[in-house]
Amino acid sequence: MHVDYLTLACLRDDLDTFLGARVQQVVFPDEWSVELELYAGRRAYLLLAAHPQDARMLFVPQKLRRGLESEPPLLLLLRKWVRGARLVDVRQPDWERVLELHFEGEAGACMLIAEIMGRYSNIVLVNAEGRVLDALKRIGPDLNRYRVTLPGKPYEPPPPPADKCPPLDLTPDRLVRLLANVPADEAVARLLPRWLLGVSPTAAREAVYRASGTSDATPPEIDPDALLDALVTLYRLPETGAWAPHVALDEDGTVVAFAPYELRHQPSREPVEDISTAMWRYFSARLDTDPYAAARQHVRKRIEEALARVERSLEQLRENLVPEEEITRVREAGELLLAYQWQIPRGARDITLPDYDGQPRTITLDPAKTPVENARAYFQRYEKMRRAADEVPKRIAALATERDFLHQLLADLELAEDRAEIDAVHDALLEAGFETTTRRRKSVPSGRPLRFKVDGLPVYVGRNARQNDEVTFKRASPDDLWFHVRGMPGAHVILKNAGRPVPQGVIERVASLAAWYSPARKGGGTVLVDYTERRYVRRVPGKHPGLVTYRNEQTVWATPRPPDEVV
């Protein structure tokens, strides 16, 4: 389903209530989108998205943050021309899926044009002389020689189809002729978008349903006068302002359609507050609406690359591990060569000697060396294997700690709720030495742990490695209770009970918070949560915050459940 002419006309009326608003901030949530923060005594966040499959323009209920690592040229120009400017006018060309936002600011007058036209969608910044300053998608003559959209070129609006007429100009006679010249079994709702400007498939089905009682009516089943009346009613809405935004629902309650009028052809429908709410509900159900998806994916890729390197190193070390029996056999070979050196002929390539149990053992020799030199070579090999046997397990343990830390960072990344928390995860990766950069990077604060109350008792939740370290070793007393999901990364949760007895219901509620702030949130079902007094929790030696060992724990089953209220 696409955003059509009537949808944008309804949104235009909503935008009129923000005339005079100042643009407080401009951000790129992802490569296809621009968000404007407007303020006119109240704040609103206007999203313009030129996604090829899901282009849209709407007010979103929350402030989005920058999701791109680098700043595109258009963003820099928007900061110059639009940030700090006031919205002075909103226009919609006749029958087009285009809105022009007119701004006046210190840099001068400009237009930000949102062309919400499916795969041809674009966002274009134009100066007062009508020349393109820049566009989200630069279109050169190699792509469209009739409509070039490049900096410095005159802005050319989308050309209207020559073979279509406006729905309000359609006469009864012309409609009768059109219906008479098509197959009798053709659905009229499929024909109207071909004949009329600004008529989308959704609007066509609605008009046909209002005229005939079914959206699948064919030409013989349709009353031309009734169809014309339905079209006039719908397409005079921009004049009458009698908008009635609705969404349509499937059997599971998922939003499958939206419109700025009652969707009578849909069996299950409900009114909503405004057209932006209707679009938000539809696209939220359809898309991954994570506004930080690009930034999250960038950091996830870095963590996964580091994790792959650690896993390769672990695999190589495990391959180099030599069984203790093999090390002992190498030492014994040297000892046997010394003990029986007088029996070993010069130039021999191997020798079979009785071992300590009297069993024959064949020992490989270097024919260029004497028996003593061969024995010395075996002792040197033994010492090397012995050192490796002592060091490799330590290196494996250190790499296992790094692997655990990287898995914790992945969990932190998934639970990060804004760009600052995502950047804090990336910063932790850099600080731990898993990634190098030639640019100086300003350290990102890790944020503050969450604080709740359960049955009047304070509860602290760490949402990343640094916060986990803080809540466990700075905010908790030795006799407070510490919670953590068993066998997976996740939040450290502290219940400030100061050693006092805690009802089982409180234990289970705090455990459900620990489950919620872990990967178990997405898995569903119940998980095991360990809890113990904080005095029994110890940092894992090393440079990685948030990694601990613990003992004297008890375990409870818990279902992930979000907090009731942040204190």
Side-chain angles (χ1 to χ4, degrees), residues 212-442:
S212 65
T214 175
S215 58
D216 298 323
T218 58
E221 299 170 334
I222 202 81
D223 179 353
D225 290 333
L227 179 58
L228 200 59
D229 287 344
L231 287 168
V232 169
T233 299
L234 290 176
Y235 284 88
R236 286 202 184 280
L237 285 173
E239 300 174 20
T240 64
W243 304 109
H246 274 68
V247 293
L249 311 171
D250 64 11
E251 294 178 352
D252 298 325
T254 301
V255 176
V256 295
F258 60 86
Y261 44 79
E262 184 180 0
L263 288 161
R264 298 178 188 173
H265 71 280
Q266 293 283 357
S268 178
R269 59 190 181 273
E270 62 183 41
V272 293
E273 181 181 357
D274 52 43
I275 192 60
S276 289
T277 301
M279 285 190 279
W280 176 258
R281 289 182 58 183
Y282 172 81
F283 286 107
S284 295
R286 173 182 171 82
L287 302 175
D288 176 6
T289 55
D290 178 8
Y292 315 108
R296 203 183 303 273
Q297 177 59 28
H298 171 78
V299 179
R300 183 184 297 110
K301 181 180 179 182
R302 299 296 183 268
I303 298 173
E304 289 174 347
E305 288 172 351
L307 193 55
R309 292 194 298 269
V310 170
E311 293 288 5
R312 285 195 298 269
S313 297
L314 277 170
E315 184 178 355
Q316 292 170 359
L317 286 174
R318 293 189 183 107
E319 289 175 354
N320 292 333
L321 273 177
V322 180
E324 189 65 32
E325 297 81 3
E326 178 63 23
I327 299 174
T328 301
R329 286 179 64 84
V330 170
R331 188 199 73 223
E332 290 178 349
E335 293 171 348
L336 291 171
L337 289 177
L338 287 179
Y340 294 98
Q341 58 181 294
W342 54 274
Q343 297 183 10
I344 304 172
R346 277 188 169 275
R349 294 184 177 277
D350 58 58
I351 186 71
T352 301
L353 301 170
D355 65 11
Y356 293 112
D357 296 324
Q359 300 298 319
R361 178 183 300 183
T362 299
I363 302 173
T364 303
L365 302 172
D366 183 346
K369 295 180 179 179
T370 67
V372 173
E373 288 172 338
N374 271 295
R376 187 179 299 119
Y378 270 100
F379 286 133
Q380 289 173 347
R381 183 181 168 194
Y382 164 76
E383 290 297 333
K384 183 178 180 180
M385 294 172 70
R386 182 77 271 163
R387 288 194 300 269
D390 292 338
E391 292 298 324
V392 169
K394 296 177 183 177
R395 293 177 61 191
I396 288 176
L399 285 170
T401 298
E402 292 190 348
R403 180 188 58 193
D404 292 343
F405 179 70
L406 290 168
H407 280 298
Q408 179 65 52
L409 290 186
L410 282 174
D412 295 346
L413 183 65
E414 293 305 312
L415 296 174
E417 296 180 352
D418 56 33
R419 181 57 190 266
E421 291 184 4
I422 293 172
D423 287 344
V425 174
H426 194 192
D427 199 53
L429 188 71
L430 289 169
E431 285 184 355
F434 290 105
E435 183 181 350
T436 58
T437 179
T438 56
R439 294 185 303 170
R440 295 188 63 184
R441 181 181 174 89
K442 183 179 179 181

Side-chain angles (χ1 to χ4, degrees), residues 15-46:
L15 278 164
D16 282 345
T17 65
F18 280 90
L19 293 182
R22 184 181 295 277
V23 179
Q24 300 285 87
Q25 193 173 9
V26 180
V27 295
F28 269 52
D30 56 52
E31 60 181 322
W32 304 111
S33 307
V34 177
E35 186 197 57
L36 308 180
E37 180 182 335
L38 304 176
Y39 183 76
R42 55 191 173 120
R43 293 189 190 280
Y45 307 103
L46 182 66

